[in-house]
Amino acid sequence: GQQLNQSPQSMFIQEGEDVSMNCTSSSIFNTWLWYKQDPGEGPVLLIALYKAGELTSNGRLTAQFGITRKDSFLNISASIPSDVGIYFCAGRMEYGNKLVFGAGTILRVKS
Amino acid sequence: DVKVTQSSRYLVKRTGEKVFLECVQDMDHENMFWYRQDPGLGLRLIYFSYDVKMKEKGDIPEGYSVSREKKERFSLILESASTNQTSMYLCASSSVAGGIYEQYFGPGTRLTVT
């Protein structure tokens, strides 16, 4: 099935740095979701976006629904060690009834 | 808070065995999903259900079946386990009212088939 292109695949950053990651597709999406997965656990929903151009924050996390409806971005400000994990984007295509998932961005933080 | 529980965190089975993975949600959600997660491939949808006794195939249904006899419970069945079904299996649920695509996941079952 359709898979989103998520980048970067992994990041190794210094504590306190800001982090950016994104998901892109050649298809138009109506919904974007961002999840975080800790080792050995299931994904936890962070942010849901429903309108093109929408910008939503959840604490130090900010996500945006791209204006073209083909991409989405997640930013984490002032990273801390507990931000470590895998971040997944997920989206629902314009005429779809299921979510498709990106392959994930592995985030590692140096303290 | 939504709670999705899965019957086992870790499971080891032999090739050819019939395997049952159970998922229960406590928030009266209409929709339930089974995914498998493999490194570098993200999450892939196996089956989903929008209502009791209702099921629809996802992207990779081959080798799997499901059962939903009660609203809160969704079971994944591996009819004859094979080594290529070694994976992390994730169950999720969502409600129509709460945003049908906002899926909430269980902790996962790591299945090893030897």
Side-chain angles (χ1 to χ4, degrees):
Chain A
Q2 163 84 27
Q3 194 176 46
L4 297 171
N5 299 311
Q6 186 171 349
S7 66
Q9 282 186 316
S10 65
M11 306 178 75
F12 195 19
I13 63 165
Q14 195 74 35
E15 184 178 353
E17 284 183 8
D18 295 343
V19 173
S20 291
M21 59 190 78
N22 68 81
C23 266
T24 61
S25 176
S26 57
S27 301
I28 290 174
F29 282 73
N30 279 351
T31 303
W32 287 100
L33 305 168
W34 285 93
Y35 287 86
K36 182 193 177 204
Q37 185 177 27
D38 291 327
E41 300 295 331
V44 173
L45 181 62
L46 299 173
I47 294 177
L49 302 159
Y50 291 99
K51 290 197 297 191
E54 182 180 351
L55 188 72
T56 298
S57 292
N58 178 4
R60 293 178 295 106
L61 278 62
T62 302
Q64 183 162 25
F65 193 137
I67 201 75
T68 64
R69 296 170 64 194
K70 294 181 179 182
D71 54 13
S72 180
F73 307 87
L74 176 70
N75 295 313
I76 305 172
S77 62
S79 57
I80 59 177
S82 62
D83 289 335
V84 162
I86 306 176
Y87 292 80
F88 290 98
C89 63
R92 178 177 74 93
M93 287 191 285
E94 188 171 25
Y95 298 110
N97 65 348
K98 296 176 285 187
L99 289 182
V100 292
F101 284 81
T105 294
I106 300 171
L107 180 62
R108 298 183 181 91
V109 178
K110 291 182 281 190
S111 54
Chain B
D1 274 355
V2 176
K3 185 131 181 163
V4 179
T5 56
Q6 296 183 228
S7 51
S8 305
R9 296 297 298 269
Y10 300 93
L11 213 50
V12 180
K13 295 291 181 181
R14 294 190 181 275
T15 301
E17 277 193 80
K18 190 167 186 175
V19 182
F20 293 87
L21 303 182
E22 304 285 339
C23 175
V24 177
Q25 50 92 6
D26 67 357
M27 285 303 292
D28 202 35
H29 283 179
E30 296 85 0
N31 315 304
M32 296 188 75
F33 308 83
W34 274 107
Y35 293 89
R36 66 176 280 176
Q37 181 179 23
D38 300 288
L41 296 178
L43 277 69
R44 294 179 292 167
L45 183 64
I46 305 171
Y47 267 97
F48 60 106
S49 169
Y50 287 144
D51 202 351
V52 175
K53 296 194 187 294
M54 178 269 169
K55 61 186 178 186
E56 284 198 37
K57 292 179 180 178
D59 298 318
I60 51 165
E62 296 78 21
Y64 303 96
S65 62
V66 290
S67 172
R68 193 163 180 203
E69 296 296 318
K70 293 185 177 181
K71 189 176 185 180
E72 67 272 18
R73 188 179 297 270
F74 193 34
S75 303
L76 180 70
I77 304 151
L78 284 66
E79 297 292 341
S80 177
S82 64
T83 54
N84 63 12
Q85 292 179 309
T86 291
S87 187
M88 170 76 114
Y89 289 87
L90 291 161
C91 175
S93 71
S94 69
S95 74
V96 174
I100 192 171
Y101 298 103
E102 293 183 20
Q103 296 180 15
Y104 295 87
F105 286 84
T109 296
R110 186 163 292 283
L111 173 67
T112 302
V113 182
T114 61

